[in-house]
Amino acid sequence: QVQLVESGGGLVQAGGSLRLSCVVSGPTFSRYAMGWFRQTPGKEREFVAAIHWSGNVAVYEDSVKGRFTISRDNAKNTVYLQMNSLKPEDTAVYYCAGRFAPIPGSLPLTRQRDYNYWGQGTQVTVSS
């Protein structure tokens, strides 16, 4: 019923940029908190960034602060991850995730278990 579809991944040189998009089906996107996670083989899926349904709160993992920006366009049912100054260690499959409101204020949105819906991922590869 609810589907999340990521796009925008690809191969880029270190120092380059990519813009990931995640389109969410249905008319209730504005009531979802949205997040981005990434995963490499053999490692746990790790938090990257999140934005609250209100749109006025965003959280970033320390390693991407100042380089990545999460944003949303509710009219397009889309969340974005602008990725600048990419590093080889950013190479991973990137997943978008959603959590439908109501969302407790104490929910950090930095954990996999904070979300109800997941996309299938898009590959980002950064060459050195």
Side-chain angles (χ1 to χ4, degrees):
Q1 182 174 315
V2 176
Q3 295 188 34
L4 285 64
V5 180
E6 303 98 333
S7 63
L11 175 64
V12 65
Q13 292 182 319
S17 298
L18 286 173
R19 185 198 190 203
L20 305 183
S21 300
C22 176
V23 179
V24 181
S25 65
T28 58
F29 175 76
S30 64
R31 298 293 294 177
Y32 282 83
M34 299 297 300
W36 287 96
F37 290 72
R38 64 188 181 187
Q39 187 171 26
T40 56
K43 295 184 178 180
E44 294 288 327
R45 190 171 299 183
E46 68 174 358
F47 170 75
V48 177
I51 186 166
H52 197 267
W53 66 265
S54 68
N56 60 2
V57 178
V59 182
Y60 297 92
E61 195 275 325
D62 287 342
S63 69
V64 308
K65 288 180 179 178
R67 300 189 298 121
F68 292 8
T69 302
I70 187 171
S71 62
R72 65 192 300 158
D73 186 338
N74 289 345
K76 297 181 178 180
N77 287 9
T78 302
V79 63
Y80 304 96
L81 186 68
Q82 179 66 46
M83 308 164 65
N84 299 326
S85 301
L86 283 162
K87 305 175 181 179
E89 51 262 45
D90 295 319
T91 296
V93 177
Y94 283 71
Y95 299 87
C96 67
R99 172 67 179 253
F100 190 62
I103 302 170
S106 60
L107 200 67
L109 299 176
T110 60
R111 309 168 300 182
Q112 292 186 69
R113 64 179 180 269
D114 294 337
Y115 296 88
N116 297 324
Y117 303 99
W118 292 87
Q120 293 188 316
T122 185
Q123 176 71 47
V124 172
T125 302
V126 184
S127 62
S128 60

